[in-house]
Structure formats: structure tokens, C-alpha cells
Amino acid sequence: MENCIFCQIVAGNIPASKAYEDDVLLAFYDIHPQAPVHILVIPKVHIPSVDGINAENSSIVAHIFETIPKIAAAAGLTGGYRVISNCGPDACQSVPHLHFHILGGTKLAEQMA
Ligand code: AMP
């Protein structure tokens, strides 16, 4: 999608600091990190949000979650990490392309909202 910033990153039209990539997903460092390690994991195909996950594309999401532990380990998150996906306006989703935040590298706040 031409007007989707994350699709443009996948296409190589916008630069990103990549943490991991395979045929299905791309992981890159968030430009406004909210923790010492803040990585975004996105499907290469455009899925707008968690609300767009369905029986046809859920294998992509399964692959993302199978890969997140490897991405976290490669980033040195030996003490644990948090995975978050903001969905819709009440969650303040700002980029309408499904993404999972990996946050870590410090003791995170107990409260999530
Ligand atoms: P959300 O608010 O959950 O939709 O998260 C979107 C995230 O994308 C934010 O944490 C932004 O800092 C991040 N972001 C937006 N544009 C870029 C970009 N070009 N490269 C890396 N991260 C980005």
C-alpha cells in the first residue's frame, strides 16, 4: 500500500534499522524508543491491525510469535520483555499496519495502561 509507512519500509522506500527479516516478517527498531530496546515486528503483507487477523492470515501471526523469542534473544533481552499491539483509537494505534512492539532492556513498569 503506497500510503502505508510500514509497507514503504518493507518495500525499501523508507529506511529502517532492521533487527531481523525473513520472507514473512520484518523487525526494526522504533524511531521513538520507549524502552532501552524497542523493536517493532510487522508482517510484510498489509494487515491493518489485530482486528484484521482472520483464518486466512493467522498463520502469519503465528509465525511472528514463533519468531519473537529469537528476535528478543538476538537483541539481548535475557531478563524478559513485553509484547504489545495497540489496536484502534482507544489504544492510540498511530500506524494502521499490524505491528507488535517488543519492549525490554530494563525492568518495565508493572502497569500497562
Ligand atoms: P503504534 O502507536 O502502536 O501504532 O506504534 C507505531 C510505532 O511506530 C510508534 O512507536 C512509532 O514511533 C513507530 N514508527 C513510526 N514511524 C516509524 C519509522 N519510520 N521507523 C520506525 N518506527 C516508526
Side-chain angles (χ1 to χ4, degrees), residues 6 9 28-32 40 86 92-95 99 101:
F6 286 178
I9 288 175
F28 54 96
Y29 287 88
D30 197 294
I31 37 166
H32 296 123
L40 300 174
N86 295 318
C92 301
Q93 182 182 3
S94 61
V95 177
H99 52 282
H101 299 257

Side-chain angles (χ1 to χ4, degrees), residues 68-97:
I68 281 174
K70 298 173 195 164
I71 296 168
L77 299 179
T78 53
Y81 54 91
R82 184 168 289 156
V83 180
I84 293 174
S85 189
N86 295 318
C87 180
D90 279 2
C92 301
Q93 182 182 3
S94 61
V95 177
H97 181 124

Side-chain angles (χ1 to χ4, degrees), residues 36-78:
V37 175
H38 186 171
I39 295 170
L40 300 174
V41 187
I42 69 171
K44 287 191 167 177
V45 297
H46 186 83
I47 301 170
S49 73
V50 168
D51 276 345
I53 299 170
N54 55 41
E56 279 71 49
N57 62 26
S58 60
S59 63
I60 293 170
V61 179
H63 176 73
I64 286 173
F65 273 85
E66 285 168 14
T67 310
I68 281 174
K70 298 173 195 164
I71 296 168
L77 299 179
T78 53

